[in-house]
Amino acid sequence: MLGLVIDLGRAFVVKNESQAFTDSAAMAAALQLNNTSAGVDAAKAAVAGSTNRWYFGTAPFVSPVVEFSVDAEVWLPNPGAIEVRYVRVTVPNNSVSVYFMTALGLPEVIPVAARSVAGIMPPTTYSQGVFPFAPFAHDPDGPNFGYSKGDELTLLWPSSVQSNGSTQKMNNLCQADQNLAALQAVQDGTTAERGYIQESSASAIAAAIEDDHMDYTVTLGQAVNRTGGVKTTDIYQSLNDRVNQDSSPSESDYDRYIRNHDGSPTRRVVVVPIISDANNAIVLGFAKVFLPPNQPHNPNKSKCAMYIGPADVPTGNDGSGLNIVRLLQ
């Protein structure tokens, strides 16, 4: 009984200390991942910098093993700049001395180990923070929804799509949608001429754009309510006001914007749901887009944004807030 109370009790304490270390270290490391080799180095530094101790809080953890993975199946200690999503932290066996249970012929030490996995998980539901526009997927079954980084996609279509079907007026459309096939897809929809989702009042749309305030939830695999919206609201002004909330409102090049950003919130990088088509409007996923310095005032011109990539892929220093870091094991 004395051996059970003291020897096994000490082993349980060390086990809890070890698990607390790997749990917190894996979470801290996963928070550093940003799809770059620098993020991997920062993740390793986060583990090395942990102040957690074992043996009743007196001994540091020596040489914890830190590994990275794209799919939580193949683990690499030095993955380079690949799209790492998972971190695994392992504490090798710490030996807890046995004082009393050796009388029963048991070993003189009890090995104690711990392992934790934390990962970046894509959000499937947004109750706040998603923009009130839903661009169409160009390829619902293809990668990146049929877009390429740098494509200018449509947030809001002109007030009269039908009048822009001629070749002469194609320049009123966003670059990625300057074709008759895209126009036909919009014209087939029930609210073809706009692009708002969920909201129809001027104040609600402005609040969603400028303040990330929404009174609805957008969920992966479910339809959004595409509304006709208000026809006379100066939505362009709300979009421009959103851009002016950023510390770099005039930069038009996304890569240069990210490279030179001062670390303040990236208000020009926003998340939009990508939908299947104008009629069904099923949310296929979420994408990050980059707002241009200015939007045209003319309601017969589309309001556009630059496609960056899926919202669940961390990219540079704009990845924060677009993923959920979660302890998996």
Side-chain angles (χ1 to χ4, degrees):
M1 292 299 294
L2 190 63
L4 289 174
V5 171
I6 296 179
D7 290 339
L8 290 184
R10 291 170 60 253
F12 276 118
V13 169
V14 172
K15 173 63 176 177
N16 288 338
E17 291 174 322
S18 300
Q19 196 64 56
F21 166 76
T22 58
D23 285 353
S24 62
M27 286 287 288
L31 285 168
Q32 302 302 317
L33 299 178
N34 62 2
N35 207 29
T36 67
S37 57
V40 171
D41 291 340
K44 293 179 180 179
V47 176
S50 174
T51 58
N52 284 28
R53 297 290 186 268
W54 71 285
Y55 204 72
F56 297 90
T58 62
F61 290 94
V62 179
S63 302
V65 178
V66 185
E67 300 166 295
F68 303 89
S69 178
V70 174
D71 55 10
E73 294 183 3
V74 177
W75 296 93
L76 300 171
N78 298 296
I82 60 177
E83 295 181 0
V84 170
R85 290 175 177 268
Y86 303 95
V87 181
R88 183 169 71 180
V89 179
T90 305
V91 171
N93 288 336
N94 288 314
S95 299
V96 180
S97 299
V98 172
Y99 296 131
F100 298 98
M101 294 179 65
T102 53
L104 301 177
L106 297 176
E108 295 182 354
V109 296
I110 299 175
V112 177
R115 170 176 286 175
S116 299
V117 175
I120 297 175
M121 309 300 294
T124 58
T125 297
Y126 284 85
S127 57
Q128 294 290 333
V130 72
F131 241 35
F133 306 101
F136 300 125
H138 282 186
D139 182 357
D141 300 317
N144 296 305
F145 317 106
Y147 291 102
S148 298
K149 181 182 176 181
D151 282 352
E152 187 184 61
L153 54 69
T154 302
L155 297 177
L156 187 65
W157 291 83
S159 57
S160 180
V161 174
Q162 287 78 5
S163 68
N164 287 281
S166 64
T167 303
Q168 299 95 308
K169 295 186 177 181
M170 281 290 180
N171 60 355
N172 286 343
L173 307 179
C174 303
Q175 163 260 322
D177 293 312
Q178 289 182 357
N179 56 77
L180 293 176
L183 285 176
Q184 186 61 50
V186 178
Q187 291 171 6
D188 287 344
T190 54
T191 54
E193 75 278 13
R194 304 308 290 175
Y196 305 111
I197 59 171
Q198 312 296 127
E199 305 285 16
S200 59
S201 74
S203 60
I205 295 171
I209 294 173
E210 299 174 37
D211 304 323
D212 299 308
H213 175 78
M214 298 183 297
D215 297 318
Y216 55 87
T217 298
V218 179
T219 302
L220 185 69
Q222 297 186 11
V224 293
N225 179 26
R226 300 186 70 243
T227 65
V230 285
K231 308 303 183 190
T232 58
T233 303
D234 289 334
I235 294 302
Y236 89 98
Q237 187 61 57
S238 288
L239 289 167
N240 290 341
D241 287 346
R242 172 65 180 245
V243 169
N244 288 327
Q245 293 173 12
D246 195 281
S247 61
S248 302
S250 302
E251 179 58 69
S252 58
D253 183 272
Y254 170 73
D255 291 328
R256 190 163 53 234
Y257 165 83
I258 289 298
R259 186 167 58 248
N260 299 327
H261 204 269
D262 60 7
S264 61
T266 51
R267 298 293 288 164
R268 294 178 61 189
V269 178
V270 299
V271 176
V272 293
I274 302 295
I275 58 174
S276 56
D277 56 74
N279 286 305
N280 298 310
I282 301 298
V283 177
L284 302 178
F286 298 92
K288 289 184 291 186
V289 299
F290 179 55
L291 299 177
N294 294 287
Q295 297 284 357
H297 182 197
N298 188 342
N300 286 321
K301 288 183 175 290
S302 294
K303 308 302 182 278
C304 310
M306 177 190 293
Y307 178 81
I308 301 172
D312 63 322
V313 176
T315 308
N317 60 5
D318 67 307
S320 60
L322 300 177
N323 299 278
I324 301 168
V325 176
R326 183 175 297 161
L327 198 63
L328 304 177
Q329 297 178 11

